[in-house]
C-alpha cells in the first residue's frame, strides 16, 4: 500500500483543518506520519474535550493532549483527588467547565482553580453547592484573570452572596447566569434583588455580554428599572447605556415579569435575544416597547 502524497506538512495541516473531529480521528489511525500531523496544535486550539473518570486515562493519552496544547476541557464528576491529574498534565488550561456534578460540593473544592495560571473561562452546569461557589481566597486569584463566567442550573446556598462575589471580577466580559432556586427546600424563586443586580452591572465595567435567566416564576413582577441601572454620576438621566454591555439574552422571562420600559437605559445594546418559556393568552406583547429605545440594535432573536 502506497503512503500519503509527498506534500509539505503545513499543507497537510491546512487540508485537515476542514475535517470534523471524527474524521480527524479516522485519519489519525492511518499511520504515524499522519498521526503526528493531525495532532498539530492549530487543529485543536478551539476544541473542548469532555472528560470523566480521569484515573482511567493513560500517560500516552495525556501526552497527546499536551502535544496538541489543549486548553479547554469539560469534566464530569471530578473528584478532589483527580484535580492533581489535571494540574500535572494540563497546567495551561484556559477554560474549565464542570458538568453534571453528582454530589454537594464545598467551597474548597473550587480552590484548585487557583493552580491554573492561564484560566480565563469558568463554567458550572447541573451541580449543587452547600457553601459559597467562589470563596475569598479563590477570588483573589481570579479577580483579574477571569473574563468568562457561565453558571447554569446550579443550586446555591445564597444567590445574593454569589452575585456580590461576581461583582468583584474586574475583567469579566461574558456572564451567563441562569438562576435556579436556592437552598435545599422547595423550588421557590427569589430573583436577585434590584440593588444587588444594579451594583453588579455598575461594577462590571468591561461586561459585554449578559445572559440572564430564571427557572420558575417569581410571585410579583420585577421593578420597572430592574434591567436599567441609573447613571451613578448623573441620577435621573435616561440616556445611560449601562457598562460596556452590547449583547443581552433574556431566558424564560414571561411578559408579566418585565415592565414595558424594561430596557429603557440599555441604549448601547447591539444584540438582543429573548427566549420565552411560554406566552400566555390575553397578555399583551411588550416587545415593541422594549425595542423602542434600542437605536443601535443590529441583531434580534426571538425563540419560543
Amino acid at each position: 500500500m502506497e503512503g500519503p502524497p509527498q506534500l509539505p506538512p503545513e499543507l497537510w495541516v491546512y487540508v485537515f483543518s476542514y475535517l470534523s473531529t471524527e474524521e480527524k480521528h479516522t485519519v489519525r489511525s492511518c499511520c504515524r506520519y499522519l498521526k503526528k500531523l493531525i495532532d498539530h496544535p492549530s487543529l485543536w486550539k478551539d476544541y473542548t474535550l469532555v472528560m470523566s473518570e480521569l484515573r482511567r486515562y493513560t500517560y500516552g493519552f495525556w501526552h497527546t493532549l499536551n502535544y496538541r496544547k489543549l486548553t479547554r476541557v469539560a469534566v464530569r464528576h471530578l473528584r478532589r483527588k483527580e484535580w492533581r491529574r489535571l494540574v500535572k498534565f494540563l497546567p495551561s488550561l484556559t477554560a474549565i467547565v464542570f458538568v453534571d456534578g453528582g454530589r454537594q460540593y464545598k467551597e474548597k473544592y473550587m480552590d484548585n482553580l487557583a493552580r491554573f495560571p492561564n484560566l480565563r473561562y469558568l463554567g458550572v452546569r447541573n451541580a449543587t453547592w452547600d457553601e459559597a461557589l467562589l470563596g475569598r481566597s479563590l477570588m483573589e486569584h481570579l479577580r483579574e484573570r477571569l473574563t468568562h463566567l457561565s453558571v447554569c442550573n446550579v443550586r446555591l446556598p445564597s444567590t445574593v452572596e454569589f452575585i456580590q462575589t461576581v461583582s468583584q471580577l474586574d475583567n469579566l466580559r461574558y456572564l451567563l447566569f441562569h438562576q435556579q432556586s436556592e437552598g435545599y427546600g422547595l423550588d421557590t424563586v427569589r430573583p436577585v434583588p434590584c440593588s444587588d443586580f444594579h451594583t453588579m452591572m455598575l461594577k462590571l465595567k468591561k461586561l459585554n455580554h449578559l445572559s440572564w435567566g430564571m427557572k420558575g416564576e417569581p410571585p410579583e413582577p420585577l421593578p420597572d428599572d430592574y434591567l436599567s441601572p441609573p447613571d451613578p454620576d448623573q441620577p435621573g438621566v435616561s440616556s445611560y447605556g449601562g457598562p460596556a454591555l452590547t449583547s443581552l439574552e433574556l431566558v424564560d422571562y414571561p411578559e408579566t415579569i418585565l415592565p414595558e420600559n424594561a430596557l429603557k437605559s440599555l441604549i448601547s445594546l447591539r444584540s438582543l435575544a429573548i427566549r420565552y418559556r411560554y406566552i400566555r393568552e390575553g397578555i399583551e406583547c411588550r416587545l415593541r416597547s422594549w425595542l423602542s429605545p434600542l437605536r443601535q440594535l443590529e441583531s434580534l432573536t426571538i425563540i419560543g
Side-chain angles (χ1 to χ4, degrees), residues 152 178-179 189 211-218 222 249-258 273-278 290 303-304:
C152 181
H178 295 174
Q179 182 181 354
V189 178
S211 179
W212 201 250
M214 177 180 295
K215 181 180 180 181
E217 183 175 347
L222 296 174
E249 180 183 37
L250 298 175
V251 179
D252 289 347
Y253 277 87
E255 302 285 353
T256 53
I257 293 181
L258 296 176
I274 303 174
R275 298 176 181 270
Y276 289 101
R277 181 171 66 253
Y278 56 82
W290 291 354
I303 300 176

Side-chain angles (χ1 to χ4, degrees), residues 175-195:
L175 173 61
L176 183 151
F177 181 61
H178 295 174
Q179 182 181 354
Q180 195 186 37
S181 55
E182 59 186 359
Y184 305 104
L186 299 176
D187 289 343
T188 302
V189 178
R190 296 186 181 91
V192 176
C194 186
S195 59

Side-chain angles (χ1 to χ4, degrees), residues 120-242:
R120 300 290 181 269
Y121 182 110
L122 173 62
V124 184
R125 300 280 190 278
N126 308 325
T128 299
W129 254 258
D130 59 6
E131 297 178 13
L133 176 60
L134 300 175
R136 291 183 179 180
S137 60
L138 180 59
M139 276 301 303
E140 294 303 316
H141 293 277
L142 299 183
R143 184 191 299 271
E144 300 293 334
R145 285 195 247 158
L146 212 61
T147 60
H148 291 66
L149 176 62
S150 178
V151 176
C152 181
N153 197 27
V154 175
R155 187 182 291 271
L156 303 169
S158 174
T159 301
V160 171
E161 289 184 8
F162 173 75
I163 293 301
Q164 290 173 347
T165 301
V166 170
S167 301
Q168 303 175 42
L169 297 172
D170 297 333
N171 285 314
L172 201 64
R173 290 168 169 78
Y174 177 103
L175 173 61
L176 183 151
F177 181 61
H178 295 174
Q179 182 181 354
Q180 195 186 37
S181 55
E182 59 186 359
Y184 305 104
L186 299 176
D187 289 343
T188 302
V189 178
R190 296 186 181 91
V192 176
C194 186
S195 59
D196 293 287
F197 181 78
H198 285 183
T199 299
M200 180 193 72
M201 293 282 282
L202 295 172
K203 283 189 174 182
L204 300 180
K205 298 183 181 301
K206 297 182 179 181
L207 190 66
N208 291 321
H209 175 83
L210 174 65
S211 179
W212 201 250
M214 177 180 295
K215 181 180 180 181
E217 183 175 347
E220 299 179 358
L222 296 174
D224 287 353
D225 64 342
Y226 187 81
L227 289 173
S228 299
D231 188 337
D233 300 321
Q234 303 181 59
V237 176
S238 60
S239 60
Y240 177 54

